[in-house]
Amino acid sequence: MEFNQKNHPFLSIIIPVFNEQGNIELLHKRVVNSVSSNTFEIIFINDGSSDCSLGLIKELASNDSRVKYISLSRNFGHQLAVYAGIEKSQGEFLVIMDADLQDPPELIPEMLLKLNSGFDIVYAKRKSRRGDSFFKKATAKLFYRILRSITAVDIPIDTGDYRMISRRVRNIIIQMPEKNKFLRGQMAWMGFKQSFIEFEREPRLHGKSGYSFKKMLNFALDGITGFSHFPIRLVTYIGLIMSLVSVSAIIYALVSKFVLHSTVKGWTSMMILMTLIGGTQLFCMGIIGEYISRIMSNVMNRPDYLIEETNIEIKNNNAQ
Ligand code: UDP
Ligand code: MG
């Protein structure tokens, strides 16, 4: 079914922005040109940018009433920025898209048709990811393979957050209480009817990636700990294996002392065992700590993000 002005569902296009001053204008132009009708809003979420991004967004908003913005009080990270946009959106259908034009807005009509043909989530799958470094591609590939093998949730490979979702999915997402958001995992967990379209991913237009190695690592840890109990079970397995190793070491030590009478000779094996056991214990405690820290953030129940300024009316922001 083709859409016309009348039956066109209202779209919310959600775009997190972290230092994207070189991309915003063209992005706005390409989005506006891609969506054939006027029934949409673009929600820019300024995630603590230190460049002119916010100024440019406000300028767009003053000339185009379809442009909304939320400026967060600091950098809360990509996932929370997207979440803020999802929460404050009014659309029947929502699009989540990066600001660096790596996610071509021209795919929106195709996603729209697909979603409307009876799906709740249509994600954009990367046929290739040009412009990403070898390191980024390799670590991303490894991460998604590991994640898939240790989780029960089928998180699609080679997809980012670029996708279109129904209002129903949006309503569930904002009811999911976890503080460490991993939206693509949360959506995969939901089930419903999901589909995808394929595209070639271009390099980012201007600026550099806002995903530092540290942010990538934290994101990966949120994905794994949020959707798998395997690491914490691994602690039990390692503990079991190390106990067996220790028992053999104790037997060896006793035999050395009372049968072979050669206690000094065992220095090397003692050192190896001590460091091995010490290292394993620290590793296991680290894994337990990861889960505990996540329990902690959920128990503290702080707000997910703070808004410094916005042109969205906060009063009816939770209208569903
Ligand atoms: N982003 C954000 N907060 C951050 C890091 C990134 O809102 O702390 C935004 C960024 O502006 C972009 C999207 O998230 O719109 C994806 O980030 P980026 O392109 O830097 O990641 P990459 O494509 O390199 O994985
Ligand atoms: Mg990018």
Side-chain angles (χ1 to χ4, degrees), residues 143-153 155 220 223-225 227-234 291:
F143 168 62
Y144 285 109
R145 286 342 175 252
I146 292 177
L147 195 60
R148 267 175 90 92
S149 64
I150 62 173
T151 54
V153 179
I155 298 170
I224 290 173
T225 51
F227 289 90
S228 172
H229 292 286
F230 176 76
I232 207 144
R233 188 150 295 158
L234 189 68
Y291 283 90

Side-chain angles (χ1 to χ4, degrees), residues 65-184:
S65 61
R66 299 167 300 190
V67 174
K68 307 272 189 286
Y69 64 86
I70 300 168
S71 187
L72 303 182
S73 61
R74 61 171 170 85
N75 178 252
F76 279 87
H78 171 233
Q79 294 289 296
L80 282 173
V82 171
Y83 181 78
I86 290 179
E87 198 169 46
K88 302 290 181 252
S89 65
Q90 304 286 332
E92 228 173 297
F93 293 175
L94 284 68
V95 179
I96 299 161
M97 176 192 287
D98 285 357
D100 55 6
L101 286 164
Q102 285 196 288
D103 300 335
E106 290 74 20
L107 295 183
I108 292 177
E110 197 185 336
M111 287 187 179
L112 189 57
L113 279 176
K114 192 123 197 188
L115 197 80
N116 206 51
S117 69
F119 292 98
D120 271 279
I121 301 176
V122 173
Y123 52 88
K125 193 172 155 82
R126 304 157 181 162
K127 266 199 283 193
S128 64
R129 29 193 313 171
R130 295 204 285 131
D132 281 338
S133 68
F134 172 75
F135 179 73
K136 178 133 196 166
K137 278 189 230 174
T139 47
K141 207 166 183 165
L142 183 69
F143 168 62
Y144 285 109
R145 286 342 175 252
I146 292 177
L147 195 60
R148 267 175 90 92
S149 64
I150 62 173
T151 54
V153 179
D154 205 5
I155 298 170
I157 276 178
D158 295 328
T159 55
D161 282 326
Y162 189 22
R163 58 191 58 210
M164 187 179 283
I165 60 175
S166 65
R167 184 102 193 136
R168 159 158 89 164
V169 169
R170 174 265 180 197
N171 290 344
I172 297 169
I173 281 287
I174 65 166
Q175 278 165 23
M176 289 174 93
E178 59 243 69
K179 294 285 161 188
N180 298 76
K181 311 283 180 205
F182 188 68
L183 296 169
R184 61 195 74 167

Side-chain angles (χ1 to χ4, degrees), residues 38-56:
N38 273 330
T39 50
F40 67 91
E41 61 178 358
I42 303 177
I43 305 181
F44 287 106
I45 305 94
N46 175 40
D47 186 21
S49 300
S50 53
D51 65 357
C52 304
S53 297
L54 182 60
L56 289 171

